[in-house]
Amino acid sequence: MNIKRRDFIKASTAASVLLLPGIAIAMKGTNAINMPALAADSQIQKSIKASFGGGFSVRTHRQSNGLTHADIEHFGTRYAVTSADLLDWKIVSPL
């Protein structure tokens, strides 16, 4: 087999160009799934910290029936809070 270095590089480059779109699509699909969730998490955390102060941390959150429910913690004390618009948060109960 008599293959020249230049021919090998051309073939390798052509093969990598063919593979890149498939890799790019696979990465885009992964990021497209994870990005909205991360953006929503960040938005909810910022909203809660703006309402209650920086000492609060978000433990969990979920959305149902147009309301956002979250469990937050402040120095070991946990609270259940809810909001309809992510601006006004109300403490529903201590946990």
Side-chain angles (χ1 to χ4, degrees), residues 11-81:
S12 297
T13 304
S16 66
V17 168
L18 293 174
L19 291 175
L20 285 178
I23 294 170
I25 290 170
M27 292 302 293
K28 183 178 179 183
T30 301
N31 291 339
I33 293 169
N34 293 336
M35 289 305 291
L38 293 176
D41 290 346
S42 176
Q43 181 65 27
I44 291 170
Q45 287 181 3
K46 286 179 184 178
S47 175
I48 289 173
K49 287 184 179 185
S51 292
F52 293 107
F56 285 86
S57 63
V58 179
R59 306 284 293 171
T60 61
H61 65 84
R62 62 204 168 281
Q63 294 180 330
S64 66
N65 298 330
L67 294 174
T68 302
H69 305 277
D71 297 332
I72 61 174
E73 184 174 349
H74 186 259
F75 293 117
T77 305
R78 295 178 67 185
Y79 303 95
V81 296

